[in-house]
Amino acid sequence: MGFRMNPRTWNQMNLQRIRLENFLSHRDTDFDLSGRNPVIVTGENGAGKSSLVKDSVTWALFGKARGSGDELITEGADEAVVTIRFGLDGREYAVTRRRLRGRKTELVFTTVEGEGEQSLCGATIAETQAEIEKRLGMDYETFVCTACLEQGKADSFTSMTPKEAKQVIMRILQLGDYEQYLEQARTEVHRWKMAVAKQEGQLAVLTEELARRASTPAGLAEAQRRLSELEQEVVSIQNQVVAVDSRLADAESELLQMQRRIADQE
């Protein structure tokens, strides 16, 4: 049985438990993986190794496995249920996918907090599926090319077309998210620059007012105090703009280097 989690993904996602009920050849299987790494599953051909550690995981997470629909339900049973628990970025999650014979699939996604669970389900299965992939940071194709290699398919990535491989690499590196973060940073820079322009406008008005009030000591002192406050605010905002500008430039440079490396592989 060829199944492994690559180091990058394993550090983020840790499978903790796999629970199977009437799924393929497994009528009632509870596989506790917590605190175990690596895990080696052995057995004769047809013993159910692949369905235990590969099909169950991909079906629970993405709704994809060998066969589909009622084919996944153990012969003689009315429903198949797969529940997996995994840790990700310091939190624990549970996914349960259920197939009732002759009916649609049900999907439940929760975060586990102590003895209870909090729902992360959307209004539809599609929305819940999108939330799972968002939390994982990958879709099915990326998962089976990087985190879960099925026996006999270790070359699945190298056999892809350059375009397909590029898309997988971009999803692994999360370049789409990177570009979104850059756009948010650009928006933040613009907001700070607008704030600077506003404060500088107030400084100009106050400078004119200072000249008018120079004839009275009280008016002059108040205008000078307010002028000093505004100057400090402007300096503070300008420093923040410089810092955000610098981070933005670094991020854009890193994104450009990633894109060039991907282009060189085509």
Side-chain angles (χ1 to χ4, degrees):
M1 172 63 199
F3 174 86
R4 71 181 182 89
M5 301 294 289
N6 80 5
R8 180 179 182 275
T9 304
W10 186 260
N11 288 335
Q12 296 179 358
M13 177 186 177
N14 292 282
L15 284 172
Q16 298 174 348
R17 198 177 202 95
I18 302 174
R19 180 82 171 88
L20 310 180
E21 299 176 54
N22 300 318
F23 179 76
L24 294 174
S25 62
H26 294 269
R27 288 195 175 275
D28 187 4
T29 301
D30 193 354
F31 191 21
D32 187 358
L33 294 159
S34 56
R36 302 176 183 179
N37 183 22
V39 175
I40 299 175
V41 180
T42 64
E44 297 181 357
N45 290 339
K49 302 184 299 295
S50 295
S51 57
L52 172 61
V53 295
K54 190 275 178 182
D55 290 309
S56 64
V57 175
T58 58
W59 190 65
L61 293 176
F62 306 103
K64 296 186 179 182
R66 289 175 297 165
S68 61
D70 291 351
E71 298 175 9
L72 299 173
I73 304 175
T74 302
E75 186 176 354
D78 294 325
E79 66 174 8
V81 183
V82 174
T83 298
I84 67 169
R85 287 200 174 196
F86 60 92
L88 179 67
D89 295 334
R91 303 185 69 180
E92 184 178 346
Y93 297 92
V95 177
T96 297
R97 198 177 292 264
R98 180 190 308 270
R99 173 74 185 190
L100 299 172
R101 190 175 294 279
R103 297 174 62 181
K104 292 183 178 180
T105 300
E106 299 175 359
L107 178 61
V108 177
F109 183 36
T110 63
T111 178
V112 181
E113 300 178 355
E115 297 298 324
E117 298 184 9
Q118 181 178 346
S119 175
L120 297 173
C121 296
T124 63
I125 288 182
E127 290 181 2
T128 303
Q129 184 63 53
E131 182 64 22
I132 292 173
E133 294 180 12
K134 176 184 175 183
R135 301 271 174 155
L136 291 176
M138 65 179 72
D139 58 10
Y140 171 77
E141 294 298 334
T142 307
F143 187 79
V144 296
C145 286
T146 61
C148 175
L149 299 183
E150 188 177 358
Q151 184 176 2
K153 295 185 178 180
D155 63 344
S156 58
F157 180 78
T158 57
S159 63
M160 289 181 174
T161 65
K163 182 178 180 180
E164 292 171 338
K166 179 179 179 179
Q167 291 174 343
V168 169
I169 292 173
M170 289 185 69
R171 287 194 293 267
I172 294 171
L173 297 178
Q174 299 180 333
L175 293 188
D177 291 342
Y178 219 96
E179 290 174 345
Q180 181 180 352
Y181 299 149
L182 285 176
E183 186 58 35
Q184 292 174 351
R186 294 187 187 104
T187 301
E188 189 70 7
V189 169
H190 177 72
R191 185 176 71 84
W192 282 114
K193 288 181 176 179
M194 292 294 292
V196 169
K198 179 180 178 180
Q199 295 293 68
E200 288 177 340
Q202 292 183 10
L203 274 176
V205 172
L206 193 55
T207 300
E208 294 178 2
E209 185 178 349
L210 180 61
R212 291 196 303 270
R213 294 188 178 188
S215 57
T216 63
L220 178 61
E222 174 59 23
Q224 288 177 329
R225 183 191 67 78
R226 181 57 183 147
L227 178 62
S228 177
E229 291 177 350
L230 279 174
E231 287 177 338
Q232 292 177 13
E233 290 177 11
V234 169
V235 169
S236 175
I237 294 174
Q238 287 175 332
N239 289 338
Q240 293 182 65
V241 170
V242 170
V244 174
D245 260 335
S246 177
R247 292 197 298 271
L248 179 60
D250 291 342
E252 288 178 330
S253 176
E254 185 175 347
L255 177 61
L256 181 60
Q257 292 176 14
M258 290 180 180
Q259 292 172 332
R260 286 175 176 171
R261 287 199 296 270
I262 291 173
D264 290 341
Q265 299 301 316
E266 295 183 350

